[in-house]
Amino acid sequence: MNTLAYGLLGLVARTPSSGYDLMLQLQPFWQAKHSQIYPLLAKMEQEGYLEFTRVPQTDRPDKKVYSITEKGRTALREWLTQSTSEPVLRDELFLKTYCLWLTDRNTARKLFEEREAHCLEQLNMYETFLEELKLACDGTPQDHGSPYFGEYILLSRGVSSMREELNWCRWVMELLDQQA
Amino acid sequence: MNTLAYGLLGLVARTPSSGYDLMLQLQPFWQAKHSQIYPLLAKMEQEGYLEFTRVPQTDRPDKKVYSITEKGRTALREWLTQSTSEPVLRDELFLKTYCLWLTDRNTARKLFEEREAHCLEQLNMYETFLEELKLACDGTPQDHGSPYFGEYILLSRGVSSMREELNWCRWVMELLDQQA
DNA sequence: CCCAGCATGTAACGAGTTACATGATTCG
DNA sequence: CGAATCATGTAACTCGTTACATGCTGGG
């Protein structure tokens, strides 16, 4: 049971889902490929944290829909009381930024333009998901106890952190332009 | 030559340093343990990106001081022109946040109090480093072309992202309290 | 006297990515 | 007709962490 395993458990606790679906739901908060998820789900099922039913589909491939067991729910609650490991941010742009003095203004500028575009994309995604969430549960997400509460505050965080990063990109580009 | 390798190259390009020292300098921007750095430096030296001189010390163990070669500097400049891979943030708190509805207010609150404390620590570190940097190069860091420019904008980013995260933690705690 | 910091390294393991593998449907 | 999406899996590899290993110095 590693961090990803608990993450999957948390998703399944709200809505039973297939591995493919879990991968998609998890994307905005934790990046994991299907090749990491499928074997882990199988292992968690063997150890009794999850169970699955095979759901045949006519137009699409069959799916394995996983749901949480009592053992899984207990483990999940226990995990929430334990201390959280420190977040790790790996951003190649940080390392490139450190070396900006070695390069010309154009090359430098391009780095931040690219990041600006990426942030706008992400911001748009978080805002869209937030709107959808509000529609899906009219007014309730601010209520702790609502199964949407966590997602609501996570998406809000996504929005504000993307805005902060955008501001930074623009500030850096201004600094670069001032010396043109 | 992976991302970490370029990161080390960037540090060494500014100031020749030992592996131990590089590990410390890199910490605020990219987390890597000495066990990952030492073998990588050795490999980079063998491939001609770096060279080192053994510096004997009387009171402390001898060190290998690495400096960048012409091949290394060329590779570094080339890397800066290539497109940057997307940043990855792995934060266990995100996954726990998703499951907040499964737990009581106290457990939930503790998670964010812990994170608040961590952010305050980090904020303090970034602010201290920023002050030191300003002293070390009176007024010049805003100048692209100054070898301190990159570090200056990175530390500024550190400060503002920690402030953003602190605000989020406090907002979440307010929401939790409103329902007490 | 023990712990923290300086300084370097290796070995074993766990986490994560890329690539291989298959196969149906739908949309442009 | 080809690309994208749904759906599941394995294999090989790289990246990153933890633990093992050594040794000296200075401070509490």
Side-chain angles (χ1 to χ4, degrees):
Chain A
M1 291 299 290
N2 57 22
T3 307
L4 176 57
Y6 285 108
L8 293 168
L9 218 46
L11 291 178
V12 169
R14 205 184 69 171
T15 319
S17 315
S18 66
Y20 188 84
D21 203 21
L22 290 169
M23 177 194 62
L24 295 179
Q25 287 177 247
L26 203 59
Q27 281 317 301
F29 314 116
W30 189 280
Q31 292 72 48
K33 319 273 165 168
H34 71 275
S35 55
Q36 200 182 0
I37 291 175
Y38 288 129
L40 188 53
L41 287 172
K43 201 185 138 214
M44 288 163 74
E45 188 267 331
Q46 270 167 40
E47 289 172 10
Y49 297 99
L50 295 175
E51 51 194 17
F52 71 91
T53 44
R54 190 171 286 275
V55 176
Q57 298 183 118
T58 50
D59 52 334
R60 286 172 187 178
D62 295 357
K63 33 169 151 174
K64 285 181 170 184
V65 173
Y66 287 90
S67 28
I68 197 164
T69 61
E70 213 32 68
K71 182 179 176 183
R73 205 171 281 110
T74 310
L76 195 55
R77 287 221 179 81
E78 172 59 21
W79 170 64
L80 287 167
T81 66
Q82 283 161 21
S83 76
T84 309
S85 58
E86 289 185 16
V88 177
L89 173 56
R90 283 183 207 279
D91 191 343
E92 196 178 6
L93 184 59
F94 288 179
L95 303 181
K96 289 191 175 176
T97 298
Y98 198 93
C99 315
L100 277 187
W101 64 287
L102 283 166
T103 193
D104 60 293
R105 228 167 271 109
N106 277 330
T107 310
R109 216 178 188 285
K110 261 176 213 148
L111 289 171
F112 293 91
E113 278 168 4
E114 229 183 272
R115 176 55 58 94
E116 188 191 25
H118 176 254
C119 287
L120 282 169
E121 240 178 74
Q122 294 283 300
L123 178 61
N124 186 56
M125 177 206 66
Y126 286 124
E127 281 174 341
T128 307
F129 283 177
L130 202 52
E131 285 312 307
E132 281 170 16
L133 188 73
K134 281 175 184 170
L135 285 174
C137 61
D138 30 38
T140 52
Q142 307 213 8
D143 179 32
H144 165 240
S146 159
Y148 298 103
F149 179 68
E151 208 178 344
Y152 167 67
I153 60 178
L154 282 172
L155 291 172
S156 304
R157 169 81 200 279
V159 168
S160 60
S161 69
M162 281 308 121
R163 289 203 178 126
E164 185 273 319
E165 193 168 349
L166 270 174
N167 284 337
W168 178 68
C169 289
R170 285 160 183 171
W171 173 68
V172 173
M173 288 191 281
E174 268 176 51
L175 281 182
L176 289 170
D177 288 342
Q178 274 170 25
Q179 295 152 49
Chain B
M1 290 299 289
N2 57 21
T3 307
L4 177 57
Y6 285 109
L8 293 169
L9 219 46
L11 291 177
V12 169
R14 204 183 69 170
T15 319
S17 316
S18 66
Y20 188 84
D21 203 22
L22 289 169
M23 176 195 60
L24 294 180
Q25 286 176 248
L26 203 59
Q27 280 318 298
F29 314 116
W30 190 280
Q31 291 74 48
K33 318 273 166 171
H34 70 274
S35 55
Q36 200 182 0
I37 291 175
Y38 289 129
L40 188 53
L41 286 172
K43 201 185 139 215
M44 289 163 74
E45 188 266 333
Q46 271 167 39
E47 289 171 10
Y49 297 98
L50 295 175
E51 52 193 15
F52 72 90
T53 43
R54 190 172 285 276
V55 176
Q57 298 183 116
T58 49
D59 53 334
R60 287 173 189 180
D62 295 358
K63 34 169 150 177
K64 285 180 169 184
V65 173
Y66 287 90
S67 29
I68 196 165
T69 62
E70 212 32 67
K71 182 179 176 183
R73 204 171 281 111
T74 309
L76 195 55
R77 287 220 180 80
E78 172 59 20
W79 171 64
L80 288 168
T81 67
Q82 285 161 18
S83 75
T84 309
S85 57
E86 287 184 17
V88 178
L89 173 57
R90 280 181 209 282
D91 192 343
E92 196 179 7
L93 184 59
F94 287 179
L95 303 182
K96 288 191 175 177
T97 298
Y98 197 92
C99 315
L100 277 188
W101 64 288
L102 283 166
T103 193
D104 59 292
R105 228 169 268 109
N106 278 329
T107 310
R109 215 179 189 286
K110 262 176 210 147
L111 289 171
F112 293 92
E113 277 168 4
E114 230 184 90
R115 176 54 58 91
E116 187 190 24
H118 176 254
C119 287
L120 283 169
E121 241 179 72
Q122 294 281 301
L123 178 60
N124 186 57
M125 177 205 68
Y126 286 124
E127 281 174 339
T128 308
F129 283 178
L130 202 53
E131 286 311 307
E132 280 169 16
L133 188 73
K134 281 176 182 167
L135 285 174
C137 61
D138 29 39
T140 53
Q142 306 212 8
D143 179 33
H144 166 241
S146 158
Y148 298 102
F149 180 67
E151 208 179 344
Y152 168 66
I153 61 178
L154 282 172
L155 291 172
S156 304
R157 169 81 200 280
V159 168
S160 60
S161 67
M162 281 308 121
R163 288 201 178 127
E164 185 273 318
E165 194 169 350
L166 271 174
N167 284 338
W168 179 68
C169 288
R170 284 159 184 173
W171 174 68
V172 173
M173 288 192 280
E174 269 175 51
L175 281 183
L176 290 170
D177 288 342
Q178 276 169 23
Q179 293 153 51

